[in-house]
Amino acid sequence: MARVYVQKGKARPFWFRHPWVFSGAVERVEGHARDGDIVTVLDCAGGFIGAGLYNSRSQIRVRILSHREGEVIDAAFFRTRLERAVALREDVLRLPAAGTTGYRLVHGEGDGLSGLVVERYGDHVVIQLSAAGMKQREGVFLDFLEERLRPRSIYENASFPYREVEGFTEGSGVRRGELPEGEVTFTEHDLELGVDLRRGQKTGYYFDQRDNRMTVARHAAGARVLDAFCYCGGFALQAARAGAREVVAVDSSAAALEAGRRNAARSGLAGRITFEEADVNVFLAQTGAGGRRFDLVVLDPPKFAVARKDRDGALYRYHALNAEALRVVEPGGLIATASCSFHVSEADFDDMLNAAAKKANRFLQILHRAGQAPDHPVSSACLEGRYLKFVLARVW
Ligand code: SAH
């Protein structure tokens, strides 16, 4: 097995079990390692740090999977990790549940499986492999998922930008079973939802906001609700079902809105939600200027900061957007505002929100804060896995 030595002075994160050895931390590689091979990681004095997947093409040169000296990283190793991930959902989180059959089954580092995301959509499973070494071991994951879950299909979603960086050639496709054309359905807190796994955004649906949708629903009865950046209606549907007086759901994607309309029809909520195709920035400016107000505004924009260098620009955009959104909240109403950019920290988000309140000349009372749902667990050694920020505040 080839050995990767970490530069002097750069080993500290790895003693604390951070899984990513970046290229800049590598001093030298001894022996021959092909991309995807298991290598041993050592500090400059030759002390054992861990073992993981090597990739010469990736900025993350090694993804450490084990810190136990002598542990063999083979199919049995991965099956144990996968079983632990399934058991967390089944035994602790009680997923699947009677009213929730869609959820994340494996969340990368949070489940000790760097480079692997698995989601379950009722009878269908989606897998995303973002490391060459994981892609090479795809068969192990597929076999396990097929045996353990007996899904009707397993679909690999390879539609992410860094695929080429990692050195993948195979694109998205059905790997096991049969995936019907069009939408598959699953449930979330008793609502039936449909997504097209081949054409939807991300891996299909944003499960991370599942519990935050219920937070919004708790305050929705009788309210005029705006769901800005609604995708296929996750927040809007729960708000409507909870008895909102009026729900307006805005997104710039016509396909997402069509899916939202179908979802509303599935639950008998078609007449209760207006899906509107618009740029949220334009919608808010027009709504603000026109004097129209909402009692509850949900603001769940896409990731503005993809890389660290985007942080300042992203904060500026979040600030402008939140200020505009605050202007359309009826005094005494609520805003539920989120950011899924890891590179915007919780403290950054708080400062941004306060600056937006000042800009909009409003007083904000923070009532509740949350992150992603617990089927997106975070390794204490890799806080990069905690990316979602969600704040519910009263607005005066
Ligand atoms: N709230 C959704 C997830 C939102 S994801 C849920 O609960 O599932 C972000 C959404 O923002 C995407 O659907 C994308 O189509 C939309 N979007 C991106 N830029 C936009 C813009 N400028 N105006 C309106 N929608 C936009």
Side-chain angles (χ1 to χ4, degrees):
M1 204 187 302
R3 290 172 300 284
V4 174
Y5 287 86
V6 172
Q7 282 175 25
K8 193 172 161 70
K10 297 227 168 132
R12 192 183 145 80
F14 310 117
W15 290 328
F16 286 90
R17 305 198 158 182
H18 199 286
W20 300 339
V21 183
F22 283 100
S23 55
V26 173
E27 187 187 81
R28 66 181 195 282
V29 181
E30 273 183 10
H32 181 63
R34 284 166 309 173
D35 293 345
D37 280 356
I38 304 289
V39 294
T40 306
V41 180
L42 304 136
D43 63 24
C44 61
F48 177 83
I49 289 176
L53 301 170
Y54 180 79
N55 190 349
S56 65
R57 302 168 58 131
S58 174
Q59 277 291 96
I60 304 181
R61 200 48 56 89
V62 184
R63 292 169 187 264
I64 299 177
L65 289 166
S66 167
H67 293 87
R68 225 185 285 160
E69 202 162 358
E71 186 166 40
V72 181
I73 301 178
D74 55 6
F77 170 92
F78 284 111
R79 292 176 76 89
T80 303
R81 291 269 162 109
L82 289 161
E83 181 53 41
R84 211 194 275 173
V86 173
L88 166 67
R89 276 73 181 175
E90 285 182 356
D91 303 343
V92 181
L93 306 178
R94 311 279 166 187
L95 290 168
T100 302
T101 61
Y103 56 95
R104 183 163 285 201
L105 197 68
V106 176
H107 183 57
E109 288 76 12
D111 284 297
L113 288 163
S114 182
L116 177 66
V117 164
V118 180
E119 288 181 344
R120 190 170 188 186
Y121 294 81
D123 294 333
H124 301 272
V125 169
V126 173
I127 177 169
Q128 193 164 60
L129 299 143
S130 55
M134 296 302 259
K135 176 71 182 168
Q136 288 172 14
R137 292 160 178 81
E138 183 170 10
V140 174
F141 309 136
L142 294 173
D143 286 349
F144 173 88
L145 294 167
E146 194 169 36
E147 286 163 28
R148 184 66 170 77
L149 305 173
R150 304 254 162 234
R152 284 181 56 199
S153 78
I154 305 177
Y155 179 74
E156 181 182 355
N157 179 317
S159 62
F160 47 91
Y162 44 93
R163 196 155 65 96
E164 281 176 23
V165 178
E166 281 283 337
F168 292 12
T169 48
E170 193 176 36
S172 299
V174 179
R175 300 286 172 253
R176 297 284 164 95
E178 275 176 48
L179 176 63
E181 279 301 323
E183 291 184 331
V184 302
T185 56
F186 61 96
T187 56
E188 176 172 278
H189 288 308
D190 299 316
L191 279 181
E192 190 180 69
L193 300 161
V195 289
D196 186 332
L197 296 177
R198 292 185 179 85
R199 286 168 201 88
Q201 294 183 21
K202 216 182 73 165
T203 37
Y205 188 68
Y206 298 88
F207 294 119
D208 50 2
Q209 294 278 27
R210 177 175 52 248
D211 295 344
N212 299 332
R213 295 186 182 110
M214 297 317 278
T215 299
V216 164
R218 265 199 295 285
H219 300 283
R224 295 164 295 173
V225 177
L226 170 64
D227 181 2
F229 306 98
C230 67
Y231 186 44
C232 59
F235 283 99
L237 292 156
Q238 291 293 1
R241 190 174 64 129
R245 174 147 49 108
E246 176 195 349
V247 182
V248 178
V250 178
D251 202 282
S252 57
S253 157
L257 294 164
E258 275 309 314
R261 288 187 190 103
R262 282 192 295 273
N263 284 335
R266 280 189 180 95
S267 299
L269 298 168
R272 310 265 305 280
I273 306 173
T274 311
F275 287 94
E276 199 171 319
E277 185 178 338
D279 180 318
V280 165
N281 299 288
V282 175
F283 178 90
L284 289 175
Q286 286 172 353
T287 305
R292 186 177 183 191
R293 297 293 174 259
F294 294 92
D295 305 303
L296 172 50
V297 172
V298 178
L299 199 64
D300 184 21
K303 198 195 280 183
F304 286 162
V306 178
R308 183 171 307 180
K309 63 172 171 40
D310 306 330
R311 173 183 166 269
D312 292 352
L315 278 170
Y316 180 80
R317 289 175 70 193
Y318 283 120
H319 169 248
L321 184 64
N322 276 271
E324 287 299 318
L326 287 170
R327 289 203 176 96
V328 307
V329 181
E330 186 75 47
L334 299 170
I335 187 164
T337 179
S339 162
C340 58
S341 303
F342 159 71
H343 293 287
V344 167
S345 71
E346 225 163 274
D348 290 340
F349 190 71
D350 287 349
D351 287 346
M352 174 285 294
L353 196 55
N354 188 45
K358 174 176 178 277
K359 187 173 183 201
N361 200 19
R362 309 297 291 269
F363 173 65
L364 278 193
Q365 294 173 295
I366 295 173
L367 307 178
H368 173 81
R369 57 190 329 138
Q372 62 233 33
D375 50 338
H376 300 60
V378 182
S379 158
S380 65
C382 184
L383 296 179
E384 286 86 342
R386 186 175 67 193
Y387 60 95
L388 187 65
K389 288 145 293 282
F390 176 87
V391 167
L392 178 75
R394 194 166 201 210
V395 184
W396 286 104

